[in-house]
Amino acid sequence: MLLNDPTYVEAARKLAEKIVSQPGKDEELIQRMFNIALQRPASEQETHVVLQLLKKQRQIYDQDAPSARKLLQVGESTVDSKLDAKELFTWTTVFNALLNLDEALTRQ
């Protein structure tokens, strides 16, 4: 399964770094995320689902920040220490889910 593959987790983190470093409300960042990963805007329903996922991932970070931070260490690239770890974790998990959609995967 790709969801936990270190390459996908690291790619999701690097994309999350782009999102977290930009100003904007969650809804705006979701639109940017969809444009980056899927080359299209998120629908209203997709935005709602992602907002719920963001809320859940923020709660997970609050409940166990040390374990959540381990996810940010996956891969060979360094983590941008200037970024908020909670937001980076949150957006990494959301990007990881998005990158694992059939729509984002290339199949032959």
Side-chain angles (χ1 to χ4, degrees):
M1 177 179 239
L2 297 174
L3 189 60
N4 293 319
D5 181 281
T7 303
Y8 272 76
V9 173
E10 184 176 17
R13 178 172 48 86
K14 296 311 282 184
L15 291 169
E17 286 178 6
K18 284 184 158 201
I19 293 297
V20 171
S21 65
Q22 298 176 6
K25 294 180 181 181
D26 285 345
E27 292 84 355
E28 296 167 324
L29 300 179
I30 290 167
Q31 291 303 324
R32 290 181 199 147
M33 179 182 75
F34 266 72
N35 283 324
I36 289 170
L38 302 177
Q39 299 295 302
R40 66 169 181 82
S43 69
E44 192 173 311
Q45 180 181 4
E46 290 167 329
T47 300
H48 176 74
V49 168
V50 173
L51 286 169
Q52 295 303 310
L53 183 56
L54 287 168
K55 180 180 177 182
K56 181 178 180 181
Q57 294 306 309
R58 288 177 178 132
Q59 289 171 343
I60 288 171
Y61 186 91
D62 289 339
Q63 292 169 358
D64 190 3
S67 293
R69 279 193 221 96
K70 287 182 184 179
L71 178 78
L72 300 179
Q73 302 303 317
V74 172
E76 296 181 18
S77 64
T78 58
V79 177
D80 186 344
S81 61
K82 295 178 215 156
L83 299 176
D84 179 86
K86 178 179 179 177
E87 288 304 298
L88 186 55
F89 166 80
T90 299
W91 286 95
T92 296
T93 57
V94 174
F95 252 118
N96 194 36
L98 195 65
L99 291 175
N100 277 277
L101 293 175
D102 284 343
E103 185 176 351
L105 298 172
T106 303
R107 298 182 187 255
Q108 295 182 353

